Short mmCIF file of all heavy atoms in Angstrom, two decimals:
data_model
loop_
_atom_site.label_atom_id
_atom_site.label_comp_id
_atom_site.label_asym_id
_atom_site.label_seq_id
_atom_site.Cartn_x
_atom_site.Cartn_y
_atom_site.Cartn_z
N LEU Q 123 92.70 96.65 -228.00
CA LEU Q 123 91.90 96.18 -229.14
C LEU Q 123 91.33 94.78 -228.91
O LEU Q 123 90.25 94.46 -229.41
CB LEU Q 123 92.78 96.16 -230.41
CG LEU Q 123 93.14 97.51 -231.01
CD1 LEU Q 123 94.12 97.33 -232.18
CD2 LEU Q 123 91.88 98.21 -231.51
N THR Q 124 92.05 93.95 -228.18
CA THR Q 124 91.69 92.53 -228.07
C THR Q 124 90.23 92.30 -227.68
O THR Q 124 89.54 91.53 -228.34
CB THR Q 124 92.65 91.82 -227.09
OG1 THR Q 124 93.95 91.84 -227.67
CG2 THR Q 124 92.25 90.37 -226.86
N PRO Q 125 89.70 92.95 -226.63
CA PRO Q 125 88.31 92.66 -226.25
C PRO Q 125 87.30 93.04 -227.34
O PRO Q 125 86.19 92.52 -227.33
CB PRO Q 125 88.09 93.52 -224.99
CG PRO Q 125 89.44 93.93 -224.54
CD PRO Q 125 90.32 93.94 -225.74
N HIS Q 126 87.69 93.91 -228.26
CA HIS Q 126 86.78 94.30 -229.34
C HIS Q 126 86.83 93.31 -230.50
O HIS Q 126 85.95 93.31 -231.36
CB HIS Q 126 87.13 95.70 -229.87
CG HIS Q 126 87.07 96.75 -228.80
ND1 HIS Q 126 85.87 97.25 -228.33
CD2 HIS Q 126 88.05 97.36 -228.09
CE1 HIS Q 126 86.12 98.15 -227.39
NE2 HIS Q 126 87.44 98.23 -227.22
N LEU Q 127 87.85 92.49 -230.53
CA LEU Q 127 88.05 91.60 -231.69
C LEU Q 127 87.73 90.14 -231.39
O LEU Q 127 87.51 89.35 -232.31
CB LEU Q 127 89.50 91.71 -232.20
CG LEU Q 127 89.92 93.08 -232.73
CD1 LEU Q 127 91.42 93.11 -233.02
CD2 LEU Q 127 89.13 93.42 -233.99
N GLY Q 128 87.77 89.75 -230.12
CA GLY Q 128 87.52 88.35 -229.81
C GLY Q 128 87.15 88.15 -228.35
O GLY Q 128 87.35 89.04 -227.51
N ARG Q 129 86.59 86.95 -228.08
CA ARG Q 129 86.21 86.63 -226.69
C ARG Q 129 87.09 85.53 -226.13
O ARG Q 129 87.13 85.33 -224.91
CB ARG Q 129 84.75 86.19 -226.65
CG ARG Q 129 83.84 87.32 -227.10
CD ARG Q 129 82.47 86.84 -227.45
NE ARG Q 129 81.73 86.49 -226.25
CZ ARG Q 129 80.41 86.43 -226.18
NH1 ARG Q 129 79.69 86.69 -227.25
NH2 ARG Q 129 79.80 86.09 -225.08
N ARG Q 130 87.77 84.79 -227.03
CA ARG Q 130 88.65 83.71 -226.58
C ARG Q 130 89.93 83.80 -227.41
O ARG Q 130 90.00 83.31 -228.54
CB ARG Q 130 87.98 82.35 -226.75
CG ARG Q 130 86.70 82.22 -225.90
CD ARG Q 130 86.06 80.86 -226.06
NE ARG Q 130 86.93 79.77 -225.64
CZ ARG Q 130 87.06 79.36 -224.38
NH1 ARG Q 130 86.40 79.95 -223.40
NH2 ARG Q 130 87.85 78.36 -224.10
N ALA Q 131 90.94 84.49 -226.85
CA ALA Q 131 92.14 84.83 -227.61
C ALA Q 131 93.29 83.88 -227.30
O ALA Q 131 93.56 83.59 -226.13
CB ALA Q 131 92.56 86.26 -227.29
N LEU Q 132 93.95 83.41 -228.35
CA LEU Q 132 95.23 82.71 -228.18
C LEU Q 132 96.30 83.79 -228.16
O LEU Q 132 96.50 84.51 -229.15
CB LEU Q 132 95.45 81.72 -229.32
CG LEU Q 132 96.82 81.04 -229.38
CD1 LEU Q 132 97.14 80.29 -228.08
CD2 LEU Q 132 96.90 80.08 -230.57
N GLY Q 147 92.19 92.93 -218.68
CA GLY Q 147 91.13 92.02 -218.24
C GLY Q 147 90.36 91.52 -219.43
O GLY Q 147 90.91 91.33 -220.52
N GLY Q 148 89.03 91.31 -219.28
CA GLY Q 148 88.19 91.03 -220.42
C GLY Q 148 88.12 89.59 -220.87
O GLY Q 148 87.62 88.74 -220.12
N PRO Q 149 88.61 89.30 -222.09
CA PRO Q 149 88.35 87.99 -222.67
C PRO Q 149 89.09 86.85 -221.98
O PRO Q 149 89.97 87.08 -221.15
CB PRO Q 149 88.86 88.15 -224.11
CG PRO Q 149 89.78 89.30 -224.09
CD PRO Q 149 89.41 90.16 -222.94
N PHE Q 150 88.72 85.63 -222.37
CA PHE Q 150 89.50 84.46 -221.96
C PHE Q 150 90.78 84.44 -222.79
O PHE Q 150 90.75 84.61 -224.01
CB PHE Q 150 88.71 83.17 -222.22
CG PHE Q 150 89.55 81.93 -222.14
CD1 PHE Q 150 89.85 81.36 -220.91
CD2 PHE Q 150 90.04 81.34 -223.29
CE1 PHE Q 150 90.65 80.22 -220.84
CE2 PHE Q 150 90.83 80.20 -223.23
CZ PHE Q 150 91.13 79.64 -222.00
N TYR Q 151 91.91 84.24 -222.10
CA TYR Q 151 93.19 84.15 -222.81
C TYR Q 151 93.76 82.74 -222.67
O TYR Q 151 93.91 82.23 -221.55
CB TYR Q 151 94.21 85.12 -222.20
CG TYR Q 151 93.99 86.58 -222.53
CD1 TYR Q 151 93.48 87.45 -221.59
CD2 TYR Q 151 94.29 87.08 -223.80
CE1 TYR Q 151 93.28 88.80 -221.89
CE2 TYR Q 151 94.09 88.41 -224.11
CZ TYR Q 151 93.59 89.27 -223.15
OH TYR Q 151 93.40 90.59 -223.45
N LEU Q 152 94.06 82.13 -223.81
CA LEU Q 152 94.89 80.93 -223.81
C LEU Q 152 96.32 81.44 -224.04
O LEU Q 152 96.65 81.93 -225.14
CB LEU Q 152 94.48 79.97 -224.92
CG LEU Q 152 95.30 78.68 -224.98
CD1 LEU Q 152 95.18 77.87 -223.69
CD2 LEU Q 152 94.89 77.83 -226.18
N HIS Q 166 90.51 85.43 -216.58
CA HIS Q 166 90.15 84.13 -217.18
C HIS Q 166 91.30 83.72 -218.09
O HIS Q 166 91.51 84.38 -219.12
CB HIS Q 166 88.88 84.24 -218.02
CG HIS Q 166 87.79 84.99 -217.37
ND1 HIS Q 166 87.12 84.50 -216.26
CD2 HIS Q 166 87.26 86.21 -217.63
CE1 HIS Q 166 86.22 85.40 -215.90
NE2 HIS Q 166 86.30 86.44 -216.69
N TYR Q 167 92.00 82.66 -217.73
CA TYR Q 167 93.09 82.25 -218.60
C TYR Q 167 93.47 80.81 -218.36
O TYR Q 167 93.11 80.20 -217.33
CB TYR Q 167 94.32 83.15 -218.40
CG TYR Q 167 95.13 82.82 -217.15
CD1 TYR Q 167 96.29 82.05 -217.23
CD2 TYR Q 167 94.73 83.28 -215.90
CE1 TYR Q 167 97.03 81.76 -216.09
CE2 TYR Q 167 95.46 82.99 -214.76
CZ TYR Q 167 96.62 82.23 -214.86
OH TYR Q 167 97.34 81.94 -213.73
N PHE Q 188 90.15 74.83 -227.98
CA PHE Q 188 89.88 75.92 -227.02
C PHE Q 188 88.89 76.95 -227.58
O PHE Q 188 88.73 78.01 -227.00
CB PHE Q 188 91.20 76.60 -226.62
CG PHE Q 188 91.99 75.80 -225.63
CD1 PHE Q 188 92.91 74.86 -226.05
CD2 PHE Q 188 91.79 75.95 -224.26
CE1 PHE Q 188 93.64 74.10 -225.15
CE2 PHE Q 188 92.52 75.20 -223.34
CZ PHE Q 188 93.43 74.27 -223.78
N ARG Q 189 88.27 76.65 -228.70
CA ARG Q 189 87.28 77.53 -229.33
C ARG Q 189 87.83 78.97 -229.44
O ARG Q 189 87.17 79.95 -229.09
CB ARG Q 189 85.95 77.50 -228.55
CG ARG Q 189 85.28 76.14 -228.67
CD ARG Q 189 83.99 76.07 -227.87
NE ARG Q 189 84.24 76.01 -226.43
CZ ARG Q 189 83.92 76.95 -225.55
NH1 ARG Q 189 83.31 78.04 -225.93
NH2 ARG Q 189 84.17 76.78 -224.26
N ILE Q 190 89.05 79.04 -229.92
CA ILE Q 190 89.72 80.34 -230.07
C ILE Q 190 89.06 81.13 -231.20
O ILE Q 190 88.78 80.58 -232.27
CB ILE Q 190 91.23 80.11 -230.38
CG1 ILE Q 190 91.94 79.44 -229.19
CG2 ILE Q 190 91.93 81.40 -230.80
CD1 ILE Q 190 91.89 80.21 -227.89
N ASP Q 191 88.79 82.42 -230.94
CA ASP Q 191 88.21 83.26 -232.01
C ASP Q 191 89.09 84.46 -232.35
O ASP Q 191 88.67 85.35 -233.11
CB ASP Q 191 86.78 83.68 -231.66
CG ASP Q 191 86.71 84.52 -230.39
OD1 ASP Q 191 87.78 84.90 -229.85
OD2 ASP Q 191 85.59 84.80 -229.91
N LEU Q 192 90.31 84.52 -231.77
CA LEU Q 192 91.27 85.59 -232.11
C LEU Q 192 92.67 85.10 -231.79
O LEU Q 192 92.91 84.54 -230.72
CB LEU Q 192 90.97 86.85 -231.28
CG LEU Q 192 91.96 88.00 -231.43
CD1 LEU Q 192 91.86 88.63 -232.84
CD2 LEU Q 192 91.73 89.09 -230.38
N LEU Q 193 93.58 85.33 -232.73
CA LEU Q 193 95.00 85.05 -232.48
C LEU Q 193 95.72 86.38 -232.27
O LEU Q 193 95.57 87.29 -233.09
CB LEU Q 193 95.61 84.30 -233.68
CG LEU Q 193 97.14 84.19 -233.70
CD1 LEU Q 193 97.65 83.33 -232.54
CD2 LEU Q 193 97.62 83.61 -235.03
N VAL Q 194 96.46 86.50 -231.17
CA VAL Q 194 97.25 87.71 -230.92
C VAL Q 194 98.72 87.32 -230.94
O VAL Q 194 99.14 86.40 -230.23
CB VAL Q 194 96.90 88.35 -229.55
CG1 VAL Q 194 97.65 89.66 -229.38
CG2 VAL Q 194 95.40 88.58 -229.43
N ILE Q 215 89.89 82.80 -238.57
CA ILE Q 215 89.98 83.53 -237.31
C ILE Q 215 90.78 84.82 -237.55
O ILE Q 215 91.82 84.78 -238.20
CB ILE Q 215 90.69 82.66 -236.24
CG1 ILE Q 215 89.80 81.48 -235.85
CG2 ILE Q 215 91.09 83.48 -235.02
CD1 ILE Q 215 90.49 80.47 -234.97
N PRO Q 216 90.34 85.96 -237.03
CA PRO Q 216 91.13 87.17 -237.19
C PRO Q 216 92.45 87.10 -236.40
O PRO Q 216 92.55 86.36 -235.42
CB PRO Q 216 90.22 88.27 -236.65
CG PRO Q 216 89.23 87.59 -235.79
CD PRO Q 216 89.08 86.18 -236.30
#
Side-chain angles (χ1 to χ4, degrees):
L123 288 174
T124 295
H126 301 284
L127 297 172
R129 298 164 73 159
R130 298 181 61 84
L132 173 57
F150 166 81
Y151 286 106
L152 180 61
H166 315 291
Y167 78 99
F188 283 89
R189 292 178 288 114
I190 294 301
D191 61 8
L192 175 69
L193 168 65
V194 185
I215 291 172

